């Protein structure tokens, strides 16, 4: 697939970029490998200077970078600015915390002494998606560069200008050549790249299909992978929840990034006692969301990232309705230019409907009525995914007990699944494996080397 900027608001092709030749990629691999030999020896202070500078430049350039996100994948400009700030805060977090996270870990063997030294492993490949083009890269690049690794990054083919802008941030921050390298490479060449001896490990954020193919190539070449894949997060509303505030979070949880988030609230599981009131208020709120130009600050609903994304989502809704789901509101694209999908609610969804078992990547909410906690847990876990989940209630203890029964990598109480630098992020089951962010995120691509000292006379 070619690298192209296609404006999701107008459908216009703005710019395209050449895929790199094999020779160009080989040269980038060589440069990254050479860079690693120096970078791994640098002090934390030296690494920090570059990574903190990336954060500072990102904040300085926020307006320009945010506009690029909006141009290429249609995110509302306010949200794009929020993404830039979040990404900058991740670089700043690892710049200041990495040394502490990577300090030697003393052990207490019966005799002698021992410690674990946390060393980098080499050049890593990142494969990243378009939905948060700066934030997703930050989660991978910031901790690993602070750990002494070097990065080659294959970004999604619809956000080439964001991809180049990230590489430029590193260059302008004074990074040595090869520390962070953008690759315009088609996804069918990733397997060959993974086989190259320079690449030591791979991190992919994206769909299950892409994850499976990267994991298979890593397996074949005995290389580690981290996978951050899709999700179909439950949003459980118990009968004692503060309803108005819960509805506000439900709207945010489903509609952030126009519903195109792995951790968006996708399945609303609501206790019978509050179901009708929740649904009425949720529907009323979604129906106020009018489409508009994503570059304008007060726009409430932006376009989906691509025409294909819109067509696929519309088809999933149609198929679900054919299978017996009820359409409460929305269901179609807006009759206007741009990839605009109506905010949609499906209810009474049978188990054979796509909405029941597939991820809906856009502004479509599936709402379920339940009568007991048992039923809520069973429905929450009736998915092959296991990324995040949310529970709304005024009884914190009850929520924490319930959280233990949800099969997911993250459970949030009284907030939709979220992300911040100091909390770990990741899933279980088909949502992938490994963790990003917090101290866990810097721990994935390290050689945890044991150094053991014995008395030579000990047996
Ligand atoms: P995608 O098609 O899998 O694309 C993601 C990245 O993988 C892109 O760079 C893409 O390149 C590349 N890719 C695609 N097929 C590949 C293959 N066979 N081998 C190697 N690389 C391949 O994902 P998407 O549909 O754009 O993104 C949305 C998905 O990502 C959703 O399922 C969402 O839930 C998930 N996601 C998960 C997280 C998380 O943290 N768990 C975060 C965000 C998104 P091209 O663009 O060139 O195809």
């Amino acid at each position: 697939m070619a690298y192209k900027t296609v404006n999701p608001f107008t459908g216009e092709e703005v710019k395209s970029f050449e895929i790199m030749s094999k020779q160009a990629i080989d040269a980038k691999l060589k440069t990254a490998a050479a860079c690693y030999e120096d970078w791994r020896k640098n002090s934390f202070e030296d690494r920090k200077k570059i990574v903190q500078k990336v954060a500072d430049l990102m904040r300085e350039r926020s307006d320009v970078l945010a506009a690029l996100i909006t141009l290429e994948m249609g995110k509302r400009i306010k949200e794009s600015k929020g993404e830039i700030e979040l990404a900058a805060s991740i670089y700043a977090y690892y710049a200041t915390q990495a040394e502490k996270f990577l300090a030697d870990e003393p052990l207490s063997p019966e005799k002698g002494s021992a410690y674990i030294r946390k060393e980098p492993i080499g050049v890593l490949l990142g494969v990243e998606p378009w939905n948060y083009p700066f934030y997703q890269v930050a989660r991978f690049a910031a901790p690993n560069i602070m750990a002494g690794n070097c990065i080659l990054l294959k970004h999604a083919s619809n956000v080439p200008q964001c991809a180049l802008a990230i590489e430029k941030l590193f260059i302008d921050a004074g990074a040595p050549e090869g520390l962070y390298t953008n690759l315009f490479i088609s996804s069918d060449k990733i397997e060959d790249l993974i086989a190259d001896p320079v690449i030591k490990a791979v991190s992919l954020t994206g769909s299950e299909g892409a994850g499976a193919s990267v994991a298979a190539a890593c397996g074949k070449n005995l290389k580690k992978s981290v996978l951050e894949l899709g999700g179909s997060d439950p949003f459980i509303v118990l009968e004692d929840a503060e309803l108005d505030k819960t509805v506000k979070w439900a709207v945010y949880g489903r509609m952030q990034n126009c519903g195109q988030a792995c951790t968006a609230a996708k399945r609303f599981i609501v206790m019978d006692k509050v179901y009708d009131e929740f649904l009425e208020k949720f529907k009323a709120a979604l129906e106020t969301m009018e489409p508009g130009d994503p570059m304008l600050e007060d726009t409430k609903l932006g376009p989906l990232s691509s025409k294909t994304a819109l067509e696929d989502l519309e088809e999933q809704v149609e198929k679900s309705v054919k299978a017996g789901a009820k359409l409460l509101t929305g269901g179609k694209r807006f009759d206007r230019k741009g990839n605009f999908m109506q905010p949609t609610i499906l209810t009474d969804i049978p188990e054979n409907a796509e909405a029941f078992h597939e991820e809906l990547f856009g502004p479509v909410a599936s709402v379920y009525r339940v009568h007991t906690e048992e039923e809520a847990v069973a429905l929450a876990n009736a998915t092959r995914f296991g990324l995040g989940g949310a529970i709304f209630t005024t009884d914190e203890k009850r929520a924490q007990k319930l959280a233990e029964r949800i099969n997911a990598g993250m459970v949030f109480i009284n907030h939709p699944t979220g992300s911040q630098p100091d909390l770990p992020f990741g899933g279980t089951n088909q949502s992938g494996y490994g963790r990003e962010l917090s101290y866990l995120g810097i721990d994935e691509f390290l050689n945890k080397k044991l150094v053991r000292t014995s008395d030579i006379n000990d047996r």
Side-chain angles (χ1 to χ4, degrees), residues 1 3 127-131 136 139 154-158 185 187 190 204-207 209-210 213-214 228-231 261-262 266 359 361 387 425 431:
M1 199 161 140
Y3 276 80
V127 182
E128 298 295 337
W130 47 267
N131 63 341
Q136 300 290 0
R139 294 197 319 196
K154 183 250 176 285
H155 219 319
S157 43
N158 57 336
I185 177 175
S187 51
I190 294 286
L204 175 134
T205 298
S207 59
S213 98
V214 160
E228 298 281 358
L229 309 178
C262 50
K266 293 179 182 132
E359 179 182 28
F361 219 56
L387 193 54
F425 190 105
S431 291

Side-chain angles (χ1 to χ4, degrees), residues 52 54-63 84-85 88-89 92:
Q52 181 61 51
V54 168
D56 298 344
L57 287 175
M58 226 174 204
R59 287 178 168 133
E60 265 172 54
R61 298 176 188 176
S62 175
D63 286 354
I84 294 298
E85 175 48 37
S89 70

Side-chain angles (χ1 to χ4, degrees), residues 169-375:
L169 283 166
F170 277 92
I171 296 168
D172 293 351
E177 203 187 353
L179 180 64
Y180 179 99
T181 308
N182 177 61
L183 295 182
F184 282 154
I185 177 175
S186 79
S187 51
D188 58 4
K189 296 282 185 290
I190 294 286
E191 194 178 335
D192 292 346
L193 191 56
I194 291 173
D196 193 289
V198 168
I199 302 292
K200 298 298 180 218
V202 186
S203 176
L204 175 134
T205 298
S207 59
E208 291 166 274
S213 98
V214 160
C218 284
K220 211 163 130 188
N221 291 284
L222 303 178
K223 293 180 185 179
K224 184 177 173 178
S225 59
V226 162
L227 299 181
E228 298 281 358
L229 309 178
S232 188
D233 285 11
F235 182 109
I236 299 173
V237 185
L238 298 179
E239 66 283 354
D240 60 355
E242 281 188 70
L243 214 58
D244 286 339
K245 289 179 187 165
T246 301
V247 169
K248 192 189 85 182
W249 282 121
V251 173
Y252 173 82
R254 181 59 283 199
M255 300 302 293
Q256 56 170 314
N257 210 27
C258 201
Q260 305 164 110
C262 50
T263 50
K266 293 179 182 132
R267 298 176 298 132
F268 296 83
I269 297 170
V270 188
M271 284 289 199
D272 178 52
K273 204 169 156 209
V274 288
Y275 179 88
D276 291 331
E277 192 184 345
F278 172 87
L279 198 56
E280 189 188 320
K281 291 181 166 165
F282 189 42
K283 174 173 179 278
L286 291 192
E287 285 176 347
T288 63
M289 301 183 87
E290 289 296 328
D293 183 347
M295 286 289 181
L296 301 177
E297 288 279 341
D298 56 359
T299 289
K300 295 284 177 288
L301 183 74
L304 290 176
S305 62
S306 68
K307 193 160 165 272
T308 320
L310 175 64
E311 287 164 358
D312 290 351
L313 186 62
E314 223 182 7
E315 194 184 322
Q316 283 182 308
V317 172
E318 266 169 36
K319 282 188 183 164
S320 299
V321 171
K322 262 200 192 130
K326 275 193 197 151
L327 185 64
L328 188 67
T329 187
K332 297 198 293 287
R333 69 186 73 188
F334 280 97
D335 184 15
R336 57 171 290 159
K337 177 179 73 161
N339 311 321
F340 287 97
M341 178 74 184
Q342 294 173 344
T344 298
I345 298 178
L346 296 169
T347 64
D348 304 271
I349 301 157
E351 282 190 27
N352 62 335
E354 282 213 10
F356 191 92
H357 50 84
E358 291 303 327
E359 179 182 28
L360 300 178
F361 219 56
V364 179
S366 302
V367 186
Y368 298 86
R369 186 197 294 270
V370 289
H371 299 84
T372 62
E373 262 188 31
E374 286 307 310
E375 230 187 302

